Amino acid sequence: MLLEVEGLCVNYGHIEAIRDISFGVEEGTVTTLIGANGAGKTTTLKTLSGLRKVRAGKVIFEGKDITHLPAHERVKMGLSQSPEGRGIFPGMTVRENLFMGAYTRRDKPEMAVDFDRVMGLFPRLEERIDQVAGTMSGGEQQMLAMGRALMARPRVVLLDEPSMGLAPKLIAQIFSIITEINEQGTTVLLVEQNAAQALKRAHTAHVLETGEIVRSGTGAELAGDDSVKAAYLGGDI
Amino acid sequence: MDLGALFGSFDNFLSFTIGGLVFGAIYALIALGYTMVYGVLQLINFAHSEVFMYGTFAVAWTFIFLHGTESASWSLGKALPILLVALVAAMVMSAAIALLIERFAYRPLIKKGAPKLIALISAIGASFALAEAMGLRDRFAGWVGLKDDLADYVAPDKARDVFSNPVTIEPHKLFELGGYGVTDVDLVIIAAALLMMVGLDQLIRRTRLGRGIRATAQDPESAALMGVNSTRVVQLTFLIGGLMAGAAATLYMMKIGSTRQNAGFILGVKAFTAAVMGGIGNLRGALLGGLVLGVMENWGAAVFGSEWRDVVAFVLLVLILLVRPSGILGESLGKARA
């Protein structure tokens, strides 16, 4: 396992946001967490990146306990994230945003390699390279957030709701890029409300309900599961 | 409007303008400290005035240590070697005070997620504590066995009085500009302040550290996800503000030559005004706000009499904010573009 979560509990004040969650992310796979709004998906990713304090449980990355490691140290270890709501730097250009993703790196020639890779994945960003990021459309900002996360050359990239607020055509495009990223060798942990698309792309999937994992399996298994169908897939995929 | 009639003659108008620029440059350097901290933390560091005040004392102390307590009047050239040492001392002193404020008055509160108002009160407390501690400097000196040496220039009953640099720097006229003699001191102050502002502006725009500061100002959580150490960035912000205040203190002592334990207050309020006027959180705004404030209040003093200087300064602030509520340049440090 590249990333392991053991009995993780996180509180917001007195409210338990996630309760005793355990799952693993196998190297080279796409793993997805699906669930409704407020199920604890975003909290889980924020905790994995070190933005939330852990009440109990452990996060293990490449065999090392990183439960209490500060967020900026985790990036150096190879764990990057494209956050919910994109979190781009609105006053910086696209190029500056992308190189913020490589903030912890010093290997300039290798950064250029990753920059080219991101340009290949998102040709739209190349067209907008010197535009101020805050003036771009939602879809472009989403691509920027994903490209920026890849600029860290992560072992595992955490993607928080990359399809949120996008037009259907763009959603399909984003998901096929996620598969492409994975095929290029980056492990992906994907959080989604768009369960149909996420299950189609994922090797392993977990369903989160009110802070707990209620069901796990391969993407195909869960896509065929009656209760998952009823709750998250709305019948038609 | 007939400027000649207002200012007596055009010569005086120019002299008041240049005099205003000199003070404006000093305001601008102090304003940077307010604006940088605001840009990153959205907090007004009210203790920043003391950061400046400690710098002014460091300048006077440097002259006392290197020259002695005997009064003297030197040209800028003669004072330059000691002035450079004093500049370093003031920058170190001010930076140290700024970092202390960050460490003890802010960081514990920010870590616990305290409301901004609490941090503001903490800063006001730190400001009073630092100013009063400076007033008690002879006692502290006594505790570490320095009393006899220091008594010469900090008599216990004089601690709250004006504290002068023993060396007065005599300005020399360099050239005439519209009938006004521009002095070396004026020119050095304006040039030094501009140079530091340009340097800082480039640092924020071009370097990796600057990108970290801008990222944190725009979106602290995203910045952390990029691997920016936010505690380090906050520290760095206070450090830069302190260094600039130390430079301002040196220039102020060149011009004025004396200070006191509450000297930070009025300069701090003026610099804060300059920062707000230019657009708080905006580095170039701090420069512009400082220069505009310095010039306008000097013109005001010329037209209405010097007792009206501060009235003009603050009426101007109100007027500018009525028209442009976010200041002259408006945009924040975070949104500042490269």
Side-chain angles (χ1 to χ4, degrees):
Chain A
M1 286 289 169
L2 181 59
L3 179 65
E4 279 171 89
V5 176
E6 289 175 17
L8 199 65
C9 300
V10 176
N11 282 21
Y12 280 116
H14 295 293
I15 300 157
E16 292 180 306
I18 52 179
R19 269 194 303 268
D20 196 19
I21 280 185
S22 299
F23 68 94
V25 177
E26 195 85 59
E27 181 142 29
T29 64
V30 176
T31 301
T32 187
L33 300 176
I34 59 170
N37 247 340
K41 305 186 299 290
T42 294
T43 303
T44 305
L45 284 202
K46 286 197 164 159
T47 309
L48 292 183
S49 278
L51 297 176
R52 294 288 175 271
K53 276 214 175 82
V54 172
R55 186 169 65 83
K58 273 191 203 167
V59 180
I60 295 162
F61 183 61
E62 292 191 295
K64 283 182 218 98
D65 186 339
I66 60 163
T67 316
H68 302 291
L69 204 65
H72 60 97
E73 297 284 347
R74 299 185 195 206
V75 183
K76 281 185 217 159
M77 292 183 68
L79 197 152
S80 77
Q81 180 175 164
S82 158
E84 184 186 29
R86 293 134 198 169
I88 57 144
F89 302 111
M92 295 189 189
T93 64
V94 171
R95 188 192 303 275
E96 283 184 300
N97 263 280
L98 288 173
F99 280 96
M100 275 312 295
Y103 188 78
T104 58
R105 298 174 61 182
R106 307 275 186 180
D107 50 339
K108 280 218 166 119
E110 291 300 304
M111 279 155 66
V113 171
D114 288 320
F115 182 77
D116 290 340
R117 176 190 173 200
V118 170
M119 292 297 99
L121 284 166
F122 305 101
R124 181 71 72 83
L125 293 183
E126 194 163 20
E127 292 165 24
R128 305 272 155 131
I129 197 71
D130 291 315
Q131 188 172 333
V132 179
T135 62
M136 298 201 305
S137 74
E140 289 162 348
Q141 291 191 9
Q142 184 56 55
M143 292 176 189
L144 179 55
M146 288 169 66
R148 189 182 60 176
L150 292 177
M151 284 298 291
R153 189 174 282 188
R155 301 290 310 277
V156 57
V157 62
L158 316 181
L159 304 176
D160 197 346
E161 302 233 11
S163 76
M164 190 163 59
L166 302 184
K169 198 179 154 195
L170 210 50
I171 290 177
Q173 197 187 339
I174 291 277
F175 276 103
S176 74
I177 292 171
I178 291 170
T179 301
E180 203 178 333
I181 290 169
N182 178 242
E183 280 164 358
Q184 288 177 355
T186 308
T187 306
V188 177
L189 174 58
L190 170 68
V191 151
E192 259 302 333
Q193 276 198 70
N194 190 329
Q197 281 281 357
L199 292 177
K200 201 160 82 184
R201 306 279 170 178
H203 302 96
T204 312
H206 307 277
V207 180
L208 263 179
E209 251 169 43
T210 55
E212 288 173 293
I213 291 184
V214 295
R215 200 163 259 97
S216 301
T218 65
E221 275 167 20
L222 289 194
D225 184 292
D226 288 339
S227 62
V228 172
K229 266 190 198 165
Y232 301 105
L233 300 176
D236 59 318
I237 296 183
Chain B
M1 183 163 59
D2 180 7
L3 287 174
L6 269 179
F7 291 92
S9 75
F10 190 64
D11 296 2
N12 282 346
F13 170 73
L14 256 187
S15 92
F16 280 113
T17 306
I18 292 168
L21 285 177
V22 169
F23 273 93
I26 293 170
Y27 296 154
L29 280 180
I30 308 172
L32 284 176
Y34 288 101
T35 225
M36 293 266 305
V37 169
Y38 184 84
V40 169
L41 289 176
Q42 281 81 52
L43 279 175
I44 302 298
N45 177 14
F46 261 98
H48 189 59
S49 46
E50 304 335 311
V51 172
F52 165 79
M53 181 271 286
Y54 272 73
T56 60
F57 275 88
V59 173
W61 285 335
T62 306
F63 273 91
I64 287 165
F65 283 127
L66 294 179
H67 162 74
T69 53
E70 186 190 329
S71 295
S73 181
W74 291 357
S75 71
L76 185 60
K78 190 175 180 201
L80 196 63
I82 297 184
L83 256 183
L84 290 176
V85 179
L87 173 68
V88 173
M91 288 174 89
V92 169
M93 168 73 93
S94 292
I97 296 292
L99 289 177
L100 279 176
I101 292 169
E102 188 274 329
R103 180 65 189 80
F104 295 106
Y106 283 111
R107 201 187 302 173
L109 297 173
I110 293 165
K111 280 252 158 79
K112 291 192 175 125
K116 304 260 146 107
L117 201 57
I118 302 298
L120 184 72
I121 292 166
S122 169
I124 293 171
S127 176
F128 277 112
L130 284 166
E132 292 304 313
M134 185 53 92
L136 290 168
R137 60 192 179 277
D138 61 311
R139 302 284 174 83
F140 297 130
W143 292 345
V144 293
L146 281 173
K147 192 161 185 116
D148 286 346
D149 297 305
L150 280 166
D152 290 332
Y153 43 91
V154 191
D157 58 327
K158 299 277 190 216
R160 292 181 155 270
D161 290 353
V162 168
F163 180 58
S164 295
N165 187 347
V167 175
T168 312
I169 294 167
E170 278 299 322
H172 283 274
K173 196 165 85 176
L174 284 183
F175 56 86
E176 297 251 331
L177 192 67
Y180 173 68
V182 179
T183 69
D184 48 2
V185 169
D186 290 347
L187 212 63
V188 163
I189 290 175
I190 295 173
L194 285 178
L195 205 68
M196 302 209 64
M197 304 282 301
V198 170
L200 179 60
D201 195 67
Q202 291 301 309
L203 177 90
I204 298 295
R205 269 153 219 273
R206 306 241 181 272
T207 66
R208 181 172 175 274
L209 283 176
R211 280 199 298 278
I213 291 177
R214 281 192 292 144
T216 306
Q218 291 180 33
D219 190 333
E221 207 159 73
S222 278
L225 287 179
M226 301 301 113
V228 179
N229 181 344
S230 61
T231 308
R232 207 44 92 243
V233 162
V234 170
Q235 251 180 346
L236 192 68
T237 310
F238 275 84
L239 176 72
I240 292 173
L243 292 173
M244 295 292 153
T250 311
L251 301 178
Y252 176 85
M253 290 300 278
M254 270 171 73
K255 182 80 183 165
I256 303 295
S258 65
T259 181
R260 57 193 297 171
Q261 122 269 8
N262 61 359
F265 180 73
I266 191 71
L267 264 288
V269 170
K270 288 282 178 66
F272 173 61
T273 305
V276 172
M277 208 183 253
I280 190 137
N282 183 322
L283 292 185
R284 291 175 181 184
L287 174 64
L288 189 64
L291 295 180
V292 168
L293 181 68
V295 169
M296 295 303 272
E297 70 170 20
N298 228 23
W299 285 352
V303 175
F304 303 110
S306 61
E307 65 272 33
W308 289 86
R309 174 188 296 270
D310 294 350
V311 176
V312 171
F314 294 109
V315 167
L316 181 72
L317 172 73
V318 171
L319 289 180
I320 288 181
L321 292 185
L322 278 176
V323 181
R324 282 191 67 88
S326 55
I328 303 171
L329 295 186
E331 67 180 9
S332 68
L333 175 70
K335 295 194 183 101
R337 284 208 45 206

